[in-house]
Amino acid sequence: MKYSLIKDTIEKNAPDSGYVLAYTRKKLIFKIYSDKNSLEGIFEGECSDILEIHLFNSDSEYRILSSESSRYESGFVDHLAEFTSDTDETYIQDVFLDLNKEESRELHKDKIKVLNHIAYTSEGMAFIDDYRLCID
C-alpha cells in the first residue's frame, strides 16, 4: 500500500499529532509526528510498501491495514478507536519497547500501553472487542 493511497483518509481521521508505529516490507518505524503534514516525509522513499500504520496519542488511535481481499476495494481496512481507559471495561497492558539509545532519546519513552476494550457475550463471557495504543 502506498502512502498516496491513504493520505486523504489519514488527514480526515488520524489524531492531529502523536506517535506513528508502522510496519513496512523492509522495516519498522516508530516516531513522533508533530502534525499530519509531517507524515508524508516519514513514509517517502524506501517505505513505499506499507503493511500497517498506527497513528495514536493519549486520546485515540487510527489504524490502517493493507488488504488484498476483494471485500476491500480501497486496498486497506481502517478503524478509529476512541474509548477511554477510565472504565471497568478496559484492561491495560504495558509493552516495553526494544529501542536503541538514539530512538529512546528521541521518543523519551520506554513503553507503550495497549488499552483493551472488554465486552460480554449474552452468556456473560468476557472478550476483547477493540484495542488501541496509547502513550502517557
Side-chain angles (χ1 to χ4, degrees), residues 44-70:
E44 67 186 349
E46 66 180 302
C47 302
S48 61
D49 289 327
I50 301 166
L51 302 173
E52 184 174 332
I53 298 176
H54 300 261
L55 301 162
F56 61 98
N57 60 20
S58 59
D59 301 320
S60 66
E61 175 192 359
Y62 181 62
R63 59 183 168 264
I64 302 172
L65 304 149
S66 178
S67 175
E68 294 181 3
S69 170
S70 60

Side-chain angles (χ1 to χ4, degrees), residues 5 8 11 14 18 57 65 73 91 94 99 104 116 122 136:
L5 175 69
D8 290 339
E11 301 225 352
N57 60 20
L65 304 149
E73 292 178 15
Y91 171 69
D94 287 327
L99 303 172
S104 204
N116 296 290
S122 58
D136 17 85

